[in-house]
Amino acid sequence: DAKTTQPPSMDCAEGRAANLPCNHSTISGNEYVYWYRQIHSQGPQYIIHGLKNNETNEMASLIITEDRKSSTLILPHATLRDTAVYYCIGYAGNMLTFGGGTRLMVKP
Amino acid sequence: EAGVAQSPRYKIIEKRQSVAFWCNPISGHATLYWYQQILGQGPKLLIQFQNNGVVDDSQLPKDRFSAERLKGVDSTLKIQPAKLEDSAVYLCASSLVGDSNSPLHFGNGTRLTVT
């Protein structure tokens, strides 16, 4: 699976959009980009995934660059409950490998 | 849809004792995973089942860890004997078919403390 690079931490004001970047320059053609988040004392929560096209669901939007070397997870209106560690993962169906993630702090 | 169920939520044991964790995946999910998450780190895969067969157990310390998924539904993970470094959260996850377009859904884990 592709090695991903994420900033270790980010802050966001409550009610504003949170844009979390991820670099996955070594991603292979059959690897999907997955995003999970983990809130303290809970298991990782699936957010969204995509292969080439941008994706949107009730939780977030995923923007993947045309060359697939990077992506951005967008939480359109961040709330205090969105404070968590966010993981970006390249996944080809063999082993879902978690890196360090981005610790997002949503502030009032 | 009910999520992945795990029990117990917490367990404290002394080193050299044995312990078992139980997982009930989402109904209809063929693939089941056990992960270990040490404090401050991301989860690490221990073992993956497809129905009742093992797909990948390359990261499982087989001298002390064992897992089974009888009848392809529930699963148990056992540690015998436990060591101090086994203190961690043990997470169970399931996915519908286990391919790259099939998200994993995680339970809230069992927090194990070995003293």
Side-chain angles (χ1 to χ4, degrees), chain B residues 86-100:
Chain B
D86 298 332
S87 293
V89 176
Y90 291 85
L91 295 159
C92 179
S94 68
S95 67
L96 190 59
V97 294
D99 67 9
S100 57

Side-chain angles (χ1 to χ4, degrees), chain A residues 14-85:
Chain A
E14 188 179 19
R16 303 296 294 269
N19 297 287
L20 290 90
C22 179
N23 180 284
H24 35 78
S25 58
T26 61
I27 197 168
S28 61
N30 65 337
E31 286 184 280
Y32 281 76
V33 179
Y34 273 76
W35 283 84
Y36 281 80
R37 72 180 183 184
Q38 190 168 26
I39 296 168
H40 182 62
S41 297
Q42 296 182 21
Q45 178 188 22
Y46 165 74
I47 301 174
I48 198 167
H49 74 288
L51 186 62
K52 295 180 182 179
N53 299 323
N54 298 336
E55 302 288 345
T56 295
N57 62 20
E58 64 278 4
M59 289 183 68
S61 294
L62 173 60
I63 308 298
I64 304 174
T65 58
E66 193 169 341
D67 62 8
R68 298 208 335 120
K69 291 185 177 182
S70 65
S71 62
T72 301
L73 178 75
I74 302 173
L75 308 178
H77 305 287
T79 71
L80 299 179
R81 288 192 298 270
D82 292 322
T83 292
V85 178

